[in-house]
Amino acid sequence: MSGRTKNFTLLFVFLAIFVFAGTVCSQSTKSLEISEVDGRPVLFKHLPDSDDAARSAHFFRSSHDLRSAFPGQPVLELIDFAGGTEAAAAQYQSGRMLIVEFISPQASSGTDQKVREFLASRSGPPVAYRRVGNYNVFVFDAPNIDAANTLIDEVKYEKSVQWLGEDPYLLRRVERYFVTTTRDIFISTVLWIIGGIGLSVLAGIVSGFIFFRFREQQRARRETYSDAGGLTRLNLDELSEPIIQE
């Protein structure tokens, strides 16, 4: 092999390695969902005040980049970026927000359990955390926990899943709807019956008391009388006028 051919071969190998490295690097920083309007990751749109937050927003596709951007936060070691997990962060007055989006509810739920157990067992500055849909949302360096929770309230998970074919979970949702509806109807029926019985008893007590007082007033206004026909009788009921002896 001539020297010139050898040089071209080495140059080709270096170019291939460079292109491959660039492709891997771009895949590690490029989002799976890009906005057609501005070419930025769609996850940025779900940050509170996304237009203003875009100035300080950062996008992550690897654990190394995330931990480098948030030093001293061991909870982020629980975030697994395998399978297409993405994260976006931005700075606010209430703290620095991090939204981690998982590709499945199972991955988000599993991480949510680990994060909650870790935060419950650690000591140090408080970290506001909440799961919103498939988002696991953190707020670090917040002045107070209330302000951080208010910031998390502004995060909305607005994605929906549409099946190209038959929904495999349709029967499960129908069963859940039937059970939930039946339960609600049963509970409402029992409450109506108990409420009706209680109102009936209360109305009966009030009506009986009013009728009793009315009859007592009528009886008090009546004059005493005797059914002995003018004859002397025993005044056992104390209704007859006393006999006056002259």
Side-chain angles (χ1 to χ4, degrees), residues 48-105:
D49 297 330
S50 57
D51 294 336
D52 296 335
R55 304 171 186 173
S56 62
H58 297 277
F59 184 77
F60 306 98
R61 286 289 304 278
S62 69
S63 300
H64 177 269
D65 294 340
L66 181 62
R67 290 195 293 267
S68 299
F70 290 87
Q73 298 295 343
V75 66
L76 298 182
E77 296 179 2
L78 303 175
I79 306 300
D80 185 7
F81 280 85
T85 302
E86 301 178 351
Q91 183 66 47
Y92 297 90
Q93 293 183 353
S94 301
R96 193 177 184 191
M97 170 173 283
L98 172 67
I99 298 179
V100 182
E101 180 182 10
F102 291 88
I103 60 174
S104 67

Side-chain angles (χ1 to χ4, degrees), residues 223-237:
E223 296 180 358
T224 57
Y225 67 97
S226 174
D227 57 353
L231 301 177
T232 302
R233 61 187 296 275
L234 296 175
N235 190 19
L236 299 178
D237 51 10

Side-chain angles (χ1 to χ4, degrees), residues 4-239:
R4 181 176 298 180
T5 304
K6 185 177 181 180
N7 292 335
F8 276 115
T9 303
L10 293 175
L11 179 62
F12 178 77
V13 173
F14 284 133
L15 288 175
I17 294 175
F18 178 78
V19 172
F20 176 77
T23 303
V24 172
C25 181
S26 63
Q27 289 179 349
S28 65
T29 58
K30 187 176 181 181
S31 173
L32 297 177
E33 294 182 282
I34 299 296
S35 175
E36 298 179 356
V37 178
D38 53 11
R40 297 174 64 84
V42 176
L43 190 56
F44 282 170
K45 305 294 183 180
H46 294 174
L47 289 167
D49 297 330
S50 57
D51 294 336
D52 296 335
R55 304 171 186 173
S56 62
H58 297 277
F59 184 77
F60 306 98
R61 286 289 304 278
S62 69
S63 300
H64 177 269
D65 294 340
L66 181 62
R67 290 195 293 267
S68 299
F70 290 87
Q73 298 295 343
V75 66
L76 298 182
E77 296 179 2
L78 303 175
I79 306 300
D80 185 7
F81 280 85
T85 302
E86 301 178 351
Q91 183 66 47
Y92 297 90
Q93 293 183 353
S94 301
R96 193 177 184 191
M97 170 173 283
L98 172 67
I99 298 179
V100 182
E101 180 182 10
F102 291 88
I103 60 174
S104 67
Q106 292 79 9
S108 177
S109 177
T111 304
D112 175 70
Q113 183 177 359
K114 295 179 183 177
V115 170
R116 291 184 180 276
E117 291 176 355
F118 179 83
L119 294 178
S121 61
R122 70 183 290 269
S123 59
V127 175
Y129 168 77
R130 191 185 310 165
R131 182 188 175 202
V132 182
N134 282 356
Y135 293 159
N136 295 59
V137 186
F138 301 82
V139 175
F140 302 99
D141 304 327
N144 57 78
I145 198 67
D146 293 333
N149 287 327
T150 302
L151 182 61
I152 295 179
D153 290 338
E154 300 181 21
V155 178
K156 307 298 181 182
Y157 186 79
E158 300 175 346
K159 294 186 178 182
S160 60
V161 177
Q162 295 182 351
W163 298 94
L164 298 179
E166 184 179 355
D167 186 356
Y169 301 102
L170 178 60
L171 181 60
R172 184 180 302 176
R173 287 203 298 269
V174 172
E175 291 177 352
R176 184 181 304 171
Y177 174 78
F178 176 76
V179 172
T180 304
T181 305
T182 305
R183 179 198 61 193
D184 294 341
I185 293 176
F186 176 77
I187 293 176
S188 60
T189 302
V190 172
L191 291 178
W192 273 104
I193 293 176
I194 295 176
I197 294 176
L199 290 176
S200 299
V201 172
L202 181 62
I205 293 175
V206 173
S207 301
F209 179 77
I210 294 175
F211 181 77
F212 174 77
R213 295 298 301 174
F214 176 74
R215 294 293 295 174
E216 283 293 316
Q217 292 177 0
Q218 282 188 331
R219 183 177 300 175
R221 290 194 296 267
R222 292 178 182 175
E223 296 180 358
T224 57
Y225 67 97
S226 174
D227 57 353
L231 301 177
T232 302
R233 61 187 296 275
L234 296 175
N235 190 19
L236 299 178
D237 51 10
E238 298 182 355
L239 295 177

